[in-house]
Each structure stands twice: as C-alpha cells, then as structure tokens.
DNA sequence: CACAACGGTGAATCAGGAG
DNA sequence: TCTCCTGATTCACCGTTGT
C-alpha cells in the first residue's frame, strides 16, 4: 500500500493517511478533480453540542437556553452546504459520493446535495437486522438509516459494478434496501475501560458493499468524517486507497491502529464479476471474413419467425429489408431495436445455434 | 357514515366528500385545528427524459402527466412550502401528517416540513416486495419509497396505537421498514379500455397500516392529493371519516365510485390478518460482506473431492471455473445443478463445517 | 380440474461510442 | 454538440390460455 504522495494529473495526494483538522479546510487544500469516491457520515444531531462551526469558523454555542430550532437548522444547512461544496470540488468528473444519515439530518443533507449540483443515483436503505428497540413504545422502532448515492453532476458516469453487486445478491439485481446487522461484537472498537470508542461506528459490511459496488481496485476513497476508520479499513482490505480526515485526536489514534492491523485480501480474490459491456467489440463482419459464416448462408430467427441471408460485407438481406444484423432483426420484428447477436441463429448439423456462440469463440481466442 | 357537515368546535367540516379544486385554496377555506390526520402523496417531480424499454422491447408506461412537471427545484419547494403551511393550519394541535415520496422529492419535502415547524416522529420505508427492476443495469433496483410521519409541532402528542401495530407484526414491535406489495391485480383500478386509472395508485395495505397506527375510529383524515381515493376507501373500511381534495375530475369520478362500492368492516373485524413470513433469503455474498468468510478463504466440498476460493463479490473461483457457490459446485462435479449451501464447507479449528450453518446464524439474527 | 406455459406490467431521474 | 449505430438489459406477481 502506498503511503507516500501519489501523483495524479501532476498533483500529489496524501494517500492512505489520516489527516488532522477541519474537513472543509483540509479538503480545500487538496487538488481539485482528484478523488474517485467520497463516503461521508456527517454528524447527525441538530443540537450541535459545540461540534459545528459557522462558515466563518465561529463556534456555535448550542447549549443555550435561547436555543432555537430554526437557527439550528440554518446552521446545519450552512455546514452541510460548505462541506458538500468542498467535497464536490475534489471529486473527479465521474466521481461519486455516498452520504449516510437518519431522519434528523438526511432530508436537509439531501436537499443541499441537490442544490449543490450533485445528481442522485439512488437512495439506499440500510435495514438493520438487529436495531435497538424503542423502549418507551411511543414511536416505531428506528430500524434503518438512509444513504444517498450521488454523482458530481448530472452528466457523470460513475463506477457501478452491476455484476459484482448482482453476484453478492445471489444472482439477482441488487435492490435499494440492504439488510445488514449493526456493528457490535468483536468488530465494535472499545477503549481500555470497555466503553465504545465511537458512538456511531458503522459496520464493515456496509462499506464492503459500497466500495465493491462503486469503486475499482486502486481507486482513491476519501472520508471527511473518518471517525474510527471503517472506510479506511475496508478500503485497505479491498485494495483501494483511502484518505481520512478527522478532527478528534482520540479517533485518529484508534483508526490508525485499526488500519495498521488490517490486511489486504489477495489480488485474485479482489477480482469481481464484470458485465458484457467490458468485453471487446466484435463486428459481425468478422464472422464472415473468417469463414465462420459464408455469404449466401441462411440465418434463422431463434423465435422461428423469420430468416435472412448473409451478404459478403457482413450485412443481411431479409424480407424487403437489408442492413446490419440488428437493423434487419428490428425491421422484421417491427421493434424499436434488436440485439442481432441474440436474435439470429445459424444451422449446424440440423440444429440451430445462436450466432453469439461464434462471437464468444472469437473473444476466447482474443483473450488467449 | 356521516355525509353531512360535522360539528367540530362550533365549526363544520365537509366529511366523507371529495372536494374539487386546488388543495391549498380548499384547505385554506377549512377551519383551523379541525383535522386529526393528513395523508399526502404529492407529485414526485420525477424529471424523466426519454422513453424506456424493457429487454423484451416493450415500452414502460411512465409517469408523464402534466401534474408531475415542475420547472425547477425552487418552484417545487415553493409548492411544498405552501401546501404544508395550509395543511398545518387545519391540523388539530395533536394532529399528525404522513407524506410519501421518492428520492426525487422526499429530501426537499422533508426539509420544508421541518422548516414549517412540524416535528418528525419517524421516517418509514415502504419496502416493495415486487418493485419494477432496473432494466438497463445502470443503478440499483428502486425498491422502496419513503414516508415521513410528523406531528404539528414538537409538543404534539399524536395518536399512536402501539399495541395494534405490534399485533399486526406478529407480536413484535413494529419497525420503521414495512414490506408490502405494490398495487396491482384486481385492486388496481382500470378504465374501460383496461388502462390504469391513475399512474401511481397506492396499495390499500399501506394506508391500512398508517390509519390503524395513527388514528382512532371516528377520526377525520384529510388527503390533499386524493387521486383515485385509496385514503378514502381505507378510511371508510376502518370507520374513519375522510376529506378528499382532488383537482382532476376524472380522478374524482373514479374515487367516488370506488368509495361508494366500499363497505365498512364490522367493528369486530377491525382487527387485521397478518401475513406469514417465509424463511428470508440470504445471499451467499452476505457471508463475505459480514466477514464470516473472507475473500481468499478456501472452501472444501463436504465430499472431500474439490476446493474453491472465495472472491470479494461472493462468487467462487475453482479449478478452471468461477461463479456462484451453486455454479462452481455443479461445474466441478459435472452435475447439471448443485445446492452450494449443502455442498461446501469451511474450516474452523481444524474441522470442516457446512456453510449452511452460517446462513442459519444470519436467519436466527434476522428473525429475532 | 390441476398445472404449466405464456404474456403483461409496475412513481424510472435507465448507454456509450464513433463520426 | 448532435446524430447514428451497436448491442446490453429484468423481478415478482397476476391473469389467461393451453395441455
């Protein structure tokens, strides 16, 4: 793991380190367009308790008899706007952010996020399998937290490892609700007296899914509210680089020790399933050039409804139409579009086989 | 059921009627402090762009109605502020509101709600058991919607039928995530041509739970975006009074007919049936996310004939094959299929134990 | 009559590259 | 920036038709 500076477009990043200080100031000192992903678990409580500062860095005296809800929302919104702005500047154009919160703050953070120009991809519900019950029976058990996954702007193309997430979910598309247990047991960090080291330590399973789904090996993941370093620990395990920012020295120390004791998984295990989109493009004409199909040969729609004839240039000629395998398939079906690779078949020894088999054969040779 | 005016503190209410017009104007004409509960399903401002087709080329019938179009976030926020203010005025001091939305609008609505002085009790996740998938594989399946339950102000003591909800949930405290199917089948209202009468009809089961949990028999429930009248129909069944407000005549007509055909449950049966829960599905990937198995760890076929290695996305890599626990097991055995849960084991303290034990462990936690 | 096969559909910010 | 083309992509459930 790189611990020194890392060159990124001519600028260097402090990789795999925990930076000390106010996250807004620290982020403002980092180069713009340099980070792949941000994971943020900002303070939830609106009663501030001296942990928040106004934009001018003056401290908010929240423990005050004249405490006022409206003022408090405004201060929290200002704070959210500021750190979201700083975060957005350092994100790469195709970068993304995850923010987690509860009903106390998530609506405000979400609105600030949209106002700042971020583009929401999904909101994701972490459904806790073992939440704390509501002891007084005055409300519903607060059994979930909300995460927002957003890109830097509307045009961003974020990393999304669709097939890997699908694999994590037994082969069906990952949904926007994730059932995972809260952090306790051995994973929960304690101090010498046995008190929990941090009040809101997130489970590694949650970060595992976030990082597998929206980063690749070697990416840079920044966490502006690092706490006890769950983001850093999971990033290290998964072969991602992290940058942590944390104001409290006690948390930094716990996080540093934790990450030092964390081991990276071996490279082979970090390979994940990929989608067909990543496979090299094979033009249909190549099947003809290579003699896998011959000009004049007949293709059969796999649904049995149509046939077409192969021409020397890799186009097809069907009933009153000609063009690519896709165009002819679409025309014959009267459909807006058609994937010719999965639509057409060829005859071999009396059986009809999809032409996609031939493409896979070529791809296998290319990969070899 | 009362259809005439209803005396409430010397003022009268138009009970069990569907009022025509803009909801803000209509609410402003109602007496203040007169309504027990408001359920609101405002436009989501979906901002859809082009057309969307399923993989089979059929077209998705999207929400493109004029009432869901807003020019900007600011226009939407102004709208939200206005109707939330009007709604708050007519609420009784201990009254409450439920608002439902998706990530497109819920953060803005939630922030407006807090700014207007409402006090959030819970946010509640409606987890759809049968959501529409993400057809292009570009995001997570949008499998939930968010509801906010809030009181008129911080000091309100809202109706909360804790025991009734607990009973609805097999005797354990109701959580903030509700698993319910979307509205389809016979419940879905259609016009003469078989088209859906309203693009976003909510399931009665959702309203049932809201009204059982936060109103009493005889209470007044107002819905400012009445649509096809799900709120009114469920209120009538449950012996609550409703007031509906709807701008579109077509929706009012459908709702009126629907409610006319709805019968109130007899008082005894206002208790409800509970749904049996099947054993929850646990994806193998969750064992990896949760650290019960680590990427790179070896699995052993319980018959002793093969081994394979775990990857970060919950797939296995065996001798010349990779895929799910089931696929790799089948490939190595040369079998058409294989139950990976009972085929594979992991080593612990020198002993090989079936991975199914880990799944059972997770299920035990979930059930608790 | 039972069961299988098939078709339809749901609040969706749903592609990416070459020219 | 815009147009055109290739070709990747779906889950649970309900209702109807067919065996």
């Amino acid at each position: 793991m790189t611990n020194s500076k890392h060159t990124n477009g001519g600028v260097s990043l402090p990789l795999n380190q925990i930076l000390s200080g106010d996250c807004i100031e620290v982020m403002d000192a980092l180069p713009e367009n340099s980070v792949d992903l941000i994971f943020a678990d900002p303070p939830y409580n609106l009663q501030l308790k001296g942990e928040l500062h106004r934009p001018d860095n003056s401290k908010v005296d929240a423990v005050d008899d004249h405490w006022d809800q409206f003022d408090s929302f405004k201060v929290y919104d200002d704070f959210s706007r500021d750190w979201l702005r700083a975060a957005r500047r350092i994100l790469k154009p195709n970068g993304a952010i995850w923010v987690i919160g509860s009903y106390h703050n998530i609506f405000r953070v979400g609105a600030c996020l949209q106002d700042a120009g971020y583009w929401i991809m999904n909101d994701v519900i972490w459904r806790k399998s073992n939440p704390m019950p509501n002891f007084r029976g005055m409300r519903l058990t607060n059994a979930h937290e909300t995460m927002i996954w957003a890109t830097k702007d509307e045009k961003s193309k974020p990393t999304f490892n669709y097939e890997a997430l699908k694999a994590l979910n037994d082969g069906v598309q990952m949904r926007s609700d994730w059932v995972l247990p809260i952090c306790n047991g051995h994973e929960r960090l304690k101090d010498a007296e046995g008190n929990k080291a941090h009040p809101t330590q997130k489970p590694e399973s949650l970060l595992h899914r976030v990082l597998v789904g929206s980063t690749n090996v070697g990416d840079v993941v920044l966490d502006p509210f690092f706490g006890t370093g769950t983001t850093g620990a999971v990033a290290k395990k998964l072969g991602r680089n992290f940058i942590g920012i944390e104001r409290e020295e006690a948390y930094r120390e716990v996080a540093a020790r934790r990450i030092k004791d964390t081991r990276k998984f071996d490279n082979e295990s970090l390979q994940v399933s990929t989608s067909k989109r990543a496979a090299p493009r094979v033009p249909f004409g190549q099947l003809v050039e290579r003699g896998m199909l011959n000009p004049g040969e007949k293709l059969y729609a796999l649904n049995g409804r149509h046939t077409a004839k192969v021409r020397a240039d890799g186009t097809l000629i069907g009933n009153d139409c000609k063009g690519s395998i896709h165009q002819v398939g679409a025309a014959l079906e009267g459909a807006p579009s058609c994937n010719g690779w999965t639509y057409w078949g060829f005859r071999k020894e009396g059986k009809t086989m999809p032409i996609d088999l031939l493409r896979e054969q070529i791809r296998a040779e290319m990969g070899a």
Side-chain angles (χ1 to χ4, degrees), chain A:
Chain A
M1 180 174 279
T2 314
N3 270 313
S4 58
K5 301 276 179 166
H6 170 82
T7 297
N8 183 300
V11 210
S12 63
L13 281 176
L15 290 188
N16 305 311
Q17 297 175 33
I18 306 174
L19 309 179
S20 160
D22 172 77
C23 74
I24 297 171
E25 292 171 16
V26 173
M27 286 194 283
D28 280 345
L30 293 174
E32 63 178 357
N33 302 319
S34 61
V35 165
D36 296 289
L37 192 83
I38 291 175
F39 183 91
D41 183 8
Y44 288 16
N45 73 334
L46 296 177
Q47 285 147 33
L48 311 179
K49 305 212 164 119
E51 294 192 9
L52 293 178
H53 290 72
R54 296 196 177 85
D56 63 3
N57 263 333
S58 64
K59 195 161 169 233
V60 175
D61 185 12
V63 192
D64 181 349
D65 291 338
H66 303 296
W67 179 79
D68 172 65
Q69 180 188 327
F70 182 81
D71 275 350
S72 146
F73 281 139
K74 177 168 187 323
V75 171
Y76 191 82
D77 289 347
D78 288 343
F79 165 71
S80 300
R81 233 189 326 274
D82 286 348
W83 77 257
L84 283 167
R85 174 197 48 70
R88 189 156 177 268
R89 189 187 65 85
I90 61 174
L91 269 185
K92 292 181 182 173
N94 287 328
I97 188 171
W98 288 78
V99 189
I100 184 166
S102 69
Y103 66 81
H104 304 90
N105 71 325
I106 197 65
F107 303 114
R108 317 207 69 87
V109 172
C112 289
L113 200 100
Q114 290 179 307
D115 290 338
Y118 290 95
W119 190 248
I120 298 180
M121 298 293 290
N122 281 108
D123 59 338
V124 177
I125 301 306
W126 168 28
R127 186 208 187 243
K128 303 177 186 181
S129 55
N130 50 350
M132 191 193 322
N134 185 298
F135 295 113
R136 302 189 54 193
M138 303 303 290
R139 302 178 179 209
L140 301 163
T141 304
N142 213 331
H144 75 276
E145 291 187 30
T146 300
M147 296 191 289
I148 302 175
W149 170 36
T151 57
K152 182 164 181 170
D153 60 51
E154 186 176 347
K155 295 188 190 63
S156 305
K157 306 291 177 193
T159 298
F160 180 56
N161 293 320
Y162 175 76
E163 292 293 341
L165 288 177
K166 191 171 170 180
L168 272 179
N169 197 31
D170 267 2
V172 295
Q173 204 170 69
M174 184 67 81
R175 299 168 40 119
S176 59
D177 57 306
W178 298 357
V179 181
L180 295 169
I182 62 174
C183 179
N184 55 15
H186 293 303
E187 189 184 324
R188 188 83 197 213
L189 298 169
K190 306 272 172 67
D191 63 17
E193 289 80 42
N195 302 312
K196 46 193 179 190
H198 192 281
T200 67
Q201 186 183 341
K202 294 293 174 291
E204 296 196 358
S205 57
L206 192 70
L207 271 294
H208 182 106
R209 196 174 286 186
V210 167
L211 295 186
V212 165
S214 54
T215 63
N216 295 310
V217 171
D219 277 3
V220 177
V221 179
L222 182 141
D223 186 335
F225 308 97
F226 203 58
T228 49
T230 306
T231 302
V234 177
K236 182 172 178 184
K237 281 186 182 177
L238 291 174
R240 276 71 168 167
N241 295 293
F242 72 87
I243 299 173
I245 307 175
E246 176 54 50
R247 277 170 20 156
E248 307 286 328
E249 186 180 359
Y251 294 155
R252 289 199 303 273
E253 282 172 9
V254 173
R257 199 171 332 122
R258 173 188 191 177
I259 292 168
K260 186 166 152 290
D261 292 342
T262 300
R263 291 285 156 269
K264 176 176 172 299
F265 299 136
D266 66 81
N267 286 329
E268 194 183 27
S269 311
L270 294 182
Q271 300 301 314
V272 296
S273 315
T274 56
S275 85
K276 268 189 176 176
R277 286 194 186 90
R281 203 178 78 89
V282 175
F284 175 74
Q286 203 167 122
L287 275 55
V288 182
E289 290 171 339
R290 289 176 161 230
M292 299 167 107
L293 294 173
N294 291 312
E297 191 170 344
K298 215 173 195 178
L299 295 189
Y300 302 82
L302 292 172
N303 63 19
R305 284 207 282 263
H306 300 283
T307 64
K309 226 163 71 174
V310 176
R311 300 200 296 179
D313 63 353
T315 57
L316 300 188
I317 181 157
N319 187 17
D320 262 356
C321 59
K322 55 191 176 185
S324 72
I325 52 173
H326 316 293
Q327 291 167 334
V328 173
L332 292 174
E333 291 291 326
S337 70
C338 170
N339 183 344
W341 290 107
T342 54
Y343 180 79
W344 294 108
F346 65 101
R347 285 269 165 87
K348 189 177 177 182
E349 294 160 11
K351 284 190 293 188
T352 306
M353 332 253 294
I355 60 174
D356 207 18
L357 286 181
L358 302 174
R359 180 172 65 161
E360 281 173 25
Q361 197 175 315
I362 293 179
R363 280 185 176 156
E365 290 168 20
M366 291 168 74

